[in-house]
Amino acid sequence: MAAPAWSRLVRFVAKEDAKTYYGEPDQQGDLGLLYAQGERITARPLADQSSPWTSSPSSSSRSLTVQRLLPPLAPHHVPSIRGMGLQYSADPTKPQPKPDVAVVFFKATNSLAGPGDAIVLPKLADGEKNDYEVELCVVLGKDAKDVKEDDAMSYVGGYCVVNDVSSRGLCAKGVQWGMGKSYDTWCPLGPCLVSPEALGADPHKLTITTHVNGKLAQKGTTADLVIKIPELIARLSHGTTLPAGSLILTGSPIALGRKAPGDVVDQSPFMRDGDDVRCFVEGCGTLVNSVRDEAVGRGRIKAKL
C-alpha cells in the first residue's frame, strides 16, 4: 500500500462554505482537546476528496477553518465495524489466556459519531448500565483476506480513538451483543486518523484512559492486549474479505474498581445525562463527548428484547 497523503486526517465541515472535506490539520497537539476548548482549527483539504486512501498530495494553496469536526471517516467509507471482547484481563497481575476462538461482535455503521457529538441514550436502554469503553481503533488501509501475521501490519492505514459505548444490561439479556452496542451515536470515533508513521510508537505500548466529569474511570495499556494486532488481522481476515476502511475495535480494559464489567461501583459509574466523557489514546488524542438521556423528563419504557 502506498503511504497515504496525510500524517493526520480529519473530516470536517468548513466555516467558509459549509462543505465537508477530508484534510490535514495545521495545528499540532491534541486536536480533540483543542476542539473541545473552542480553539480555532484549520486544515488543508486533500486534493482528491473521493477517498481517504488517496496518494495524491494535500492541497497546500489554502487552509479552511474547521466549523465542525466529524468522524474521521465518512460512513460510506466504513464497510464494517468489528469489535473484540475479553481482550484485557480483569486482573492485570493474572494474564488472561488467549482463546482458541476470538470473541467478535459487530457494530452498525449508523452508530458512528464524531468529536463533540452527544452520546444519546435511547429510552429502551434506560437503567441498563450504559457504559464507556475506550479502545485503540485499527483502520485498514487496503482490502485484506487470508492475511499472514508477518504481513498484517502493512494493511494498517491508521489509528484513532473509539468509544465502544455498550449497554451492559442489554448485552446480558441477549444471546449476542449487537443490540446493546449499535444505537445511533454509540460509536464515537476521532478526533483524527493517525498514520502508522505519524504515530511514532509501537501500537502495543500505548496508554489508554477514560475520564468522566474529570474523574479517572479507566486506565490501561495496549501492551496488555490478549490478542495482538497482527494476529487480530490474521484471524479476522481468514476466509473473509475486510475491505479498506474496515474498523477493528481492539478491546477495552475493565473500568476502575470493578471485578466484572457490569459491577456497580462509585469509582467508575455508568453514564448519565449530562456527563462529560473523555477517551484518550496515547499518540491519537482525546475524544470528547457529552451524554444525553432521552428518558430524562419524558416517559420511560422497560426494555423488551
Side-chain angles (χ1 to χ4, degrees):
M1 180 184 73
W6 41 267
S7 295
R8 295 187 301 166
L9 181 75
V10 292
R11 181 169 155 264
F12 66 100
V13 176
K15 182 178 180 180
E16 288 80 358
D17 58 12
K19 293 182 179 179
T20 299
Y21 295 92
Y22 282 114
E24 175 105 26
D26 294 314
Q27 286 71 25
Q28 300 300 312
D30 190 326
L31 286 178
L33 289 182
L34 291 175
Y35 184 64
Q37 294 163 1
E39 299 289 338
R40 183 173 182 265
I41 299 174
T42 58
R44 290 167 285 115
L46 298 185
D48 182 355
Q49 291 289 319
S50 64
S51 168
W53 310 116
T54 176
S55 58
S56 301
S58 298
S59 171
S60 58
S61 61
R62 59 171 180 166
S63 287
L64 297 176
T65 304
V66 174
Q67 183 175 55
R68 180 186 175 193
L69 271 183
L70 303 171
L73 293 176
H76 64 273
H77 284 142
V78 180
S80 68
I81 304 174
R82 285 170 167 81
M84 307 303 301
L86 307 180
Q87 274 281 79
Y88 289 83
S89 174
D91 183 351
T93 65
K94 299 178 181 179
Q96 184 165 302
K98 189 183 300 184
D100 292 332
V101 178
V103 178
V104 182
F105 60 88
F106 291 81
K107 289 178 83 93
T109 55
N110 64 273
S111 65
L112 288 170
D117 289 343
I119 299 168
V120 180
L121 308 181
K123 289 188 288 184
L124 183 67
D126 181 43
E128 295 290 349
K129 299 181 179 179
N130 303 305
D131 210 2
Y132 37 82
E133 293 193 78
V134 62
E135 306 190 16
L136 172 66
C137 179
V138 174
V139 185
L140 298 185
K142 60 181 179 180
D143 294 355
K145 183 177 181 180
D146 294 328
V147 175
K148 297 179 180 179
E149 280 189 50
D150 290 345
D151 300 328
M153 297 306 285
S154 69
Y155 287 79
V156 177
Y159 302 95
C160 62
V161 187
V162 65
N163 184 353
D164 174 24
V165 178
S166 305
S167 169
R168 301 300 183 190
L170 295 182
C171 286
K173 290 178 179 180
V175 295
Q176 48 78 36
W177 296 347
M179 184 71 177
K181 286 178 173 283
S182 287
Y183 293 113
D184 289 352
T185 73
W186 278 36
C187 190
L189 195 72
C192 60
L193 195 58
V194 180
S195 72
E197 294 76 18
L199 184 67
D202 183 343
H204 299 100
K205 295 181 179 179
L206 305 178
T207 297
I208 61 176
T209 62
T210 297
H211 284 78
V212 179
N213 302 326
K215 180 181 177 181
L216 183 66
Q218 276 186 290
K219 184 175 182 180
T221 170
T222 55
D224 292 334
L225 284 170
V226 174
I227 304 175
K228 308 302 184 186
I229 295 169
E231 186 176 353
L232 281 180
I233 295 172
R235 287 197 186 201
L236 293 175
S237 68
H238 182 76
T240 302
T241 299
L242 306 178
S246 295
L247 308 185
I248 300 175
L249 283 50
T250 57
S252 186
I254 194 167
L256 298 180
R258 302 185 199 174
K259 294 183 178 180
D263 287 351
V264 178
V265 298
D266 292 337
Q267 194 172 2
S268 53
F270 296 108
M271 293 188 298
R272 296 173 295 184
D273 186 72
D275 280 349
D276 176 275
V277 180
R278 303 191 174 208
C279 295
F280 167 81
V281 174
E282 185 179 358
C284 296
T286 305
L287 178 62
V288 182
N289 297 95
S290 59
V291 178
R292 179 166 62 84
D293 190 340
E294 284 188 337
V296 172
R298 307 179 187 181
R300 297 173 181 264
I301 61 176
K302 189 173 180 63
K304 294 182 180 180
L305 302 183

